[in-house]
Amino acid sequence: MTNGNYSVEEFFLVGFPMDPSVQLLLFFLVLANYLITLSGNGVIICITLSDHRLQSPMYFFLRNFSFVEIWFTTVTVPKLLAGFLVGSHTITFVGCMAQCYFYFLLGATEFLLLGVMSFDRYQAVCNPLRYPALMTGKFCLKLVCGSWVAAFFTILGPLIMVTGLPYCNSNVINHFFCDRTPLVNLACTDTEWVENINLVLAGVLILGSLVLTVISYCLITVAVLRIPSAQGRRKAFSTCASHMMVVTIVYGSHIFMHVRTTHTYTERVDKVVALMTSVVAPSLNPFIYTLRNEKVKEALREAAQKRGLFCTKEVKETKTDFQRLVMR
């Protein structure tokens, strides 16, 4: 594909160049985390869809967040695994731009959903009597759709600008996926205006949703401290603890990666942080939300028991049929 006066057909992703035995170890570690992400978030989606006790807005937003997490890690991890296993490091220009777009689209949607989830917790704790009337199914659906639409248009403009840059310095990206900053660094033209626009949009998106989250939890804290009983305060805080843990992990890593200019870019550190956000964090979220949530744990236990009883019943029926056959 031609960009300006220069033609770039494909890019080379450096990834993590190291000893083959270490790469094989990393392959299995990344694969294990990827499978945990798929299965863990898949279980959350299934259990919140099937269990009648998990039909509140909080679990509706959690289900959508798990869906985003699955695809967010899928955008980068399969290519990383292919690089570890078979040394597949090249990616077409179109594939690179598509990977870059979907990575940031899903990441932006993730931030907005976290802001929406904090708003939901604020309404549940601070307005418990009006909560069912405020957070209706139609309103929750609008919030989720609005998050996707806002992320789509926020990310589309910067990607068009990055796609139109002339790439003539090199086609080697010192990363394991097509991240925006190393792509901009390859351009052989002044990219300061692109960097400034990207920085402003990243700041508005990430810091804006973070401000909404912080304000929501400040109001929640004030409301909870007014509860007279210690048990009531613990119960109110427990409904928000899981979300706060995820917020800390996601916002901390992404602010470090994206809310800064390319002049402060450090390749090795950014690759490690990106690996944590793309591989490790999505695999932790199912544990964070299930281990600290009694309703989800109870629903999972009942689902496992039903499955176990079903299997036990099948075994008993098979054993009885076999005994009758022997007696004949």
Side-chain angles (χ1 to χ4, degrees), residues 126-292:
C126 299
N127 300 299
L129 298 179
R130 299 176 58 203
Y131 180 72
L134 292 171
M135 302 300 291
T136 62
K138 184 179 292 186
F139 182 63
C140 292
L141 183 61
K142 287 180 180 179
L143 289 175
V144 171
C145 292
S147 299
W148 280 97
V149 172
F152 175 82
F153 286 107
T154 302
I155 302 303
L156 183 62
L159 179 73
I160 293 175
M161 291 185 291
V162 172
T163 304
L165 293 174
Y167 297 100
C168 56
N169 290 333
S170 174
N171 70 333
V172 178
I173 299 176
N174 191 4
H175 215 299
F176 65 88
F177 75 99
C178 293
D179 194 7
R180 174 190 61 84
T181 302
L183 268 174
V184 171
N185 286 341
L186 294 181
C188 52
T189 186
D190 183 18
T191 59
E192 185 176 358
W193 62 281
V194 178
E195 295 175 35
N196 291 336
I197 292 175
N198 284 327
L199 182 62
V200 170
L201 290 176
V204 170
L205 184 70
I206 299 176
L207 298 180
S209 57
L210 178 60
V211 168
L212 173 62
T213 301
V214 171
I215 292 175
S216 297
Y217 276 100
C218 287
L219 295 174
I220 288 172
T221 302
V222 172
V224 170
L225 292 177
R226 292 175 180 172
I227 298 175
S229 66
Q231 184 179 358
R233 289 195 296 270
R234 282 195 300 269
K235 184 178 179 181
F237 274 127
S238 66
T239 62
C240 307
S242 301
H243 185 245
M244 283 303 299
M245 290 176 66
V246 174
V247 164
T248 303
I249 294 171
V250 173
Y251 278 99
S253 55
H254 281 280
I255 287 174
F256 173 80
M257 286 179 61
H258 303 300
V259 188
R260 57 196 176 94
T261 64
T262 56
H263 300 296
T264 58
Y265 176 72
T266 53
E267 294 172 343
R268 291 184 179 180
V269 175
D270 271 52
K271 281 197 286 187
V272 173
V273 175
L275 188 67
M276 296 293 291
T277 58
S278 302
V279 179
V280 179
S283 67
L284 294 177
N285 292 341
F287 296 103
I288 293 173
Y289 279 113
T290 56
L291 294 178
R292 298 186 63 88

Side-chain angles (χ1 to χ4, degrees), residues 39-54 59 62 285-308:
S39 58
N41 286 287
V43 166
I44 288 178
I45 292 173
C46 293
I47 201 71
T48 54
L49 280 171
S50 60
D51 195 282
H52 68 278
R53 293 163 298 184
L54 306 179
Y59 298 106
L62 177 59
N285 292 341
F287 296 103
I288 293 173
Y289 279 113
T290 56
L291 294 178
R292 298 186 63 88
N293 191 303
E294 291 300 326
K295 284 188 178 180
V296 175
K297 286 194 291 185
E298 186 178 348
L300 289 173
R301 278 196 298 267
E302 289 187 6
Q305 288 172 358
K306 287 180 181 179
R307 180 62 182 169

